[in-house]
Amino acid sequence: MKKSYLFIIAVCLLGFNKANAQGWAKTIHAGAGTNVYQNFTFDKDNNPVVIGGAEDYGGGTPNGLVFMKYDKQAGTRSLLKKYNGNTNSESYKVHTDAQGNIYYFGTFTDYIAFGADTLFTYSKVNWNSPNYIIAKFDSEGNHLWSKKFGQKFGTELKQVLDAHFTADGFHAMIGYSSDSVFYDNAFVEKLPYAGTNMANFCLFRVDLTDGSLKTFKKVGGYYGAYPQMFVVNPNGGYEMGVMDIAMTKKFVVYSFTETNAAVVKCSTNISEVNGDGNDIEQVVLHNGNYYALAVNLTARGYSVYNGDSVKVLPSPYNLRTGMLMKFDSAFNLKAHVRFHWRDVYPKLFLSKGKLVVPARFSNTMYIENDSVVCLNNQQAWELMAFNENLAIADTLQLNTANSSGGSFDVECAGYDNEGNLYGQAVHNKNIIYNGTVVQAALKSWDHLTVLFRKGNNIGSGLNSRSAPILQAGVYPNPVSDVINLDVEVNEVSIFNITGKLMLKVASKQADVSGLPQGLYFIQAADGVNRYHSRFIKN
């Protein structure tokens, strides 16, 4: 396969027109590995921009960094700029400033060639010890500057805890073991050994005009896990939230500045009764309130947050339970919403004032008293967007065509400036978006990265907090000609196993004699309730 097929730009949804904007899903990368494209941003014209490491199609040979821009409505690629090299890149953050410049923060190995400027890592071709890169591009993807941050010898800096772009620069917080830190080839500081079961962190701030390092600060050592929160306070300074598991489970919020040491701002005790593995996974700060995503491994018992009991709904399906919680500035619990799923851990993104939680599930997800049904009874991701009061604001579902093995992960999600919800997924099997199949890679070790957008008229799993999805009976089943529902409905939609809409009628009875043999799925509504079912066509 030629490298010219590195990027497969496939028109996955038909019937698009600007007056009635449809959603779309576009394959933007094909190659080995899943750490290629993990973030996106929007340019000054609100078009999605993706930056990440490029690889040979099918071969998995790393060969540089790619800058791509997409038409916000049609989903067609409007710009492609590739920088050659020898690297395996992992993206952490991309950002657009008011002038339209694009910033990229991630890792790289070996080198990336930006025309006459080539950026080499400190440890050449050491795939286990990558360096970090922060780079600036103009709105057309032209390279303006790039800097590297990392180590020359010793153990590697462990991971990025979080990173933020603000008016006074780029702020990142990284965990480390022990090493000498360099920035742009200049020695910064020798970091001490963290110690057994200890976690050390360092903060650095970079000027976005020229990439110069403005601040480097060690931020103490704490017993337990890495922080679940790192925020740049709008009033100045920083806040860091840590799950302290030395004696009891306690979430502690520290505040500090670039010159002052960290001090405890507030904390909350976390206990569990008949629970299993309850932890706060992520915390974001928005309008003075903290929003925390917590995870229970099994749906039983309840957890206590600072004296407030949050019961876990009992489930006969042994589902995992996630909770999105709202805390005030003193970390007192103000509101919460629960959801049950049965797959990988959910994630939390703060975007345009909304809290977007993607979670992967199979068959059915329960959100409080509502249920979300996977379109084709296979593996799916549901993107749930919540308002500040934790009411559902938006939903978006991405499905697989089959559940056999492989990788299927939503890496990033968020809103553009016009209120359209976007997501980004990595997969190596066929997926379905809005009834159309997005083909998987040709070889089992290849992965595709898909950027998808919700349009104005696309329904998704959860349409109303007051309209749960109910099971409807159908007869006869199997059927040869006419299928009947045992409930009174005014709309019935029938989908095939790939999620394609095959038939739509305005009654509880449908003539399916013209459909090919096979398994079909029903979605129906009566104006108040929603129903689902399935049948076999002879």
Side-chain angles (χ1 to χ4, degrees):
M1 186 68 68
K2 296 181 180 179
K3 288 186 180 181
S4 59
Y5 291 97
L6 171 63
F7 302 100
I8 305 174
I9 310 302
V11 177
C12 301
L13 301 177
L14 303 177
F16 173 83
N17 63 77
K18 292 186 178 180
N20 189 19
Q22 298 278 347
W24 48 258
K26 303 297 173 182
T27 299
I28 58 175
H29 173 269
T34 59
N35 295 327
V36 183
Y37 298 110
Q38 295 178 313
N39 290 281
F40 57 87
T41 187
F42 300 94
D43 68 5
K44 59 183 180 181
D45 298 318
N46 207 36
N47 292 304
V49 176
V50 180
I51 309 176
E55 297 180 359
D56 287 342
Y57 177 75
T61 303
N63 62 356
L65 195 70
V66 168
F67 183 107
M68 287 181 290
K69 186 182 294 188
Y70 282 79
D71 182 274
K72 62 187 174 184
Q73 292 183 311
T76 54
R77 191 183 70 203
S78 58
L79 176 68
L80 170 65
K81 188 173 290 291
K82 176 181 173 183
Y83 294 101
N84 291 323
N86 183 30
T87 186
N88 220 354
S89 178
E90 183 170 357
S91 171
Y92 287 107
K93 290 280 183 176
V94 286
H95 172 73
T96 308
D97 65 16
Q99 291 71 44
N101 297 306
I102 308 292
Y103 301 87
Y104 172 81
F105 177 59
T107 61
F108 77 109
T109 50
D110 204 353
Y111 75 96
I112 304 176
F114 297 104
D117 299 323
T118 300
L119 196 69
F120 290 93
T121 57
Y122 294 116
S123 181
K124 187 176 181 180
V125 198
N126 186 352
W127 304 110
N128 294 320
S129 298
N131 290 141
Y132 299 104
I133 173 178
I134 177 169
K136 181 177 182 179
F137 304 87
D138 66 18
S139 61
E140 298 303 308
N142 298 306
H143 173 255
L144 300 178
W145 55 256
S146 56
K147 307 292 183 180
K148 60 185 175 182
F149 173 82
Q151 69 292 323
K152 290 186 176 181
F153 310 102
T155 57
E156 63 181 297
L157 290 163
K158 288 186 175 180
Q159 67 186 83
V160 175
L161 304 176
D162 208 346
H164 302 278
F165 291 88
T166 67
D168 63 344
F170 169 73
H171 312 253
M173 197 169 183
I174 297 178
Y176 65 87
S177 294
S178 60
D179 209 346
S180 294
V181 173
F182 291 80
Y183 185 82
D184 197 25
N185 293 321
F187 173 76
V188 177
E189 191 165 347
K190 172 69 176 178
L191 299 177
Y193 174 61
T196 305
N197 296 323
M198 299 296 289
N200 281 347
F201 322 107
C202 60
L203 164 77
F204 67 97
R205 178 170 63 92
V206 172
D207 185 278
L208 295 182
T209 302
D210 57 6
S212 58
L213 182 65
K214 294 300 183 181
T215 303
F216 182 84
K217 177 183 178 64
K218 292 180 290 187
V219 191
Y222 302 90
Y223 185 90
Y226 283 99
Q228 285 72 39
M229 178 185 78
F230 168 63
V231 299
V232 181
N233 198 310
N235 299 322
Y238 305 94
E239 291 187 14
M240 174 181 64
V242 180
M243 279 291 298
D244 189 339
I245 59 174
M247 297 298 292
T248 60
K249 289 189 174 183
K250 179 183 291 187
F251 189 79
V252 184
V253 178
Y254 296 87
S255 63
F256 62 96
T257 67
E258 293 179 350
T259 57
N260 295 328
V263 296
V264 175
K265 177 184 177 183
C266 57
S267 65
T268 184
N269 292 313
I270 299 174
S271 61
E272 49 190 300
V273 180
N274 296 325
D276 191 0
N278 178 67
D279 278 320
I280 289 180
E281 297 293 326
Q282 288 177 266
V283 183
V284 297
L285 178 62
H286 178 59
N287 284 346
N289 297 303
Y290 298 99
Y291 293 88
L293 180 64
V295 171
N296 295 81
L297 294 184
T298 55
R300 63 177 186 264
Y302 63 90
S303 297
V304 179
Y305 295 88
N306 217 22
D308 293 307
S309 297
V310 180
K311 293 183 179 180
V312 178
L313 296 176
S315 171
Y317 308 106
N318 195 31
L319 300 178
R320 291 175 174 173
T321 297
M323 286 180 287
L324 182 61
M325 297 174 289
K326 178 180 180 180
F327 296 90
D328 63 15
S329 59
F331 232 84
N332 298 305
L333 183 64
K334 308 302 291 185
H336 68 274
V337 61
R338 296 159 293 192
F339 53 95
H340 303 272
W341 81 106
R342 194 176 183 178
D343 216 315
V344 300
Y345 275 26
K347 305 170 185 178
L348 174 61
F349 300 95
L350 176 62
S351 177
K352 307 300 181 185
K354 293 186 176 64
L355 301 133
V356 185
V357 180
R360 194 171 75 182
F361 69 104
S362 298
N363 195 338
T364 305
M365 175 187 290
Y366 299 90
I367 307 175
E368 291 291 348
N369 296 319
D370 288 334
S371 60
V372 177
V373 178
C374 179
L375 182 63
N376 61 338
N377 199 32
Q378 302 292 345
Q379 196 178 82
W381 276 88
E382 186 77 8
L383 275 67
M384 302 167 285
F386 298 90
N387 290 323
E388 292 185 19
N389 61 357
L390 302 189
I392 283 284
D394 210 350
T395 60
L396 172 61
Q397 189 177 124
L398 191 69
N399 301 268
T400 55
N402 62 77
S403 59
S404 57
S407 173
F408 178 44
D409 295 302
V410 171
E411 299 289 349
C412 189
Y415 283 88
D416 65 8
N417 295 323
E418 296 175 347
N420 295 298
L421 180 58
Y422 285 76
Q424 196 168 10
V426 175
H427 67 110
N428 66 353
K429 53 187 171 184
N430 290 354
I431 61 174
I432 302 170
Y433 180 66
N434 198 31
T436 301
V437 175
V438 181
Q439 295 293 330
L442 300 179
K443 298 180 180 179
S444 61
W445 61 81
D446 294 336
H447 292 74
L448 299 183
T449 304
V450 166
L451 186 69
F452 52 98
R453 171 186 187 266
K454 181 175 181 179
N456 298 332
N457 62 342
I458 293 180
S460 185
L462 187 68
N463 295 317
S464 170
R465 296 299 301 278
S466 61
I469 299 177
L470 306 174
Q471 179 75 40
V474 294
Y475 61 94
N477 190 10
V479 62
S480 298
D481 46 14
V482 178
I483 190 80
N484 300 273
L485 274 70
D486 65 357
V487 292
E488 293 294 331
V489 295
N490 53 28
E491 181 180 290
V492 172
S493 298
I494 297 176
F495 300 86
N496 67 10
I497 195 170
T498 69
K500 182 179 179 181
L501 178 64
M502 303 297 293
L503 186 64
K504 189 171 184 177
V505 297
S507 72
K508 69 174 185 177
Q509 188 179 77
D511 183 355
V512 296
S513 59
L515 297 180
Q517 293 181 350
L519 177 66
Y520 291 86
F521 301 92
I522 291 177
Q523 291 185 2
D526 61 6
V528 177
N529 298 309
R530 293 171 295 146
Y531 302 88
H532 72 96
S533 190
R534 70 187 72 183
F535 66 92
I536 296 175
K537 169 60 172 36
N538 284 333

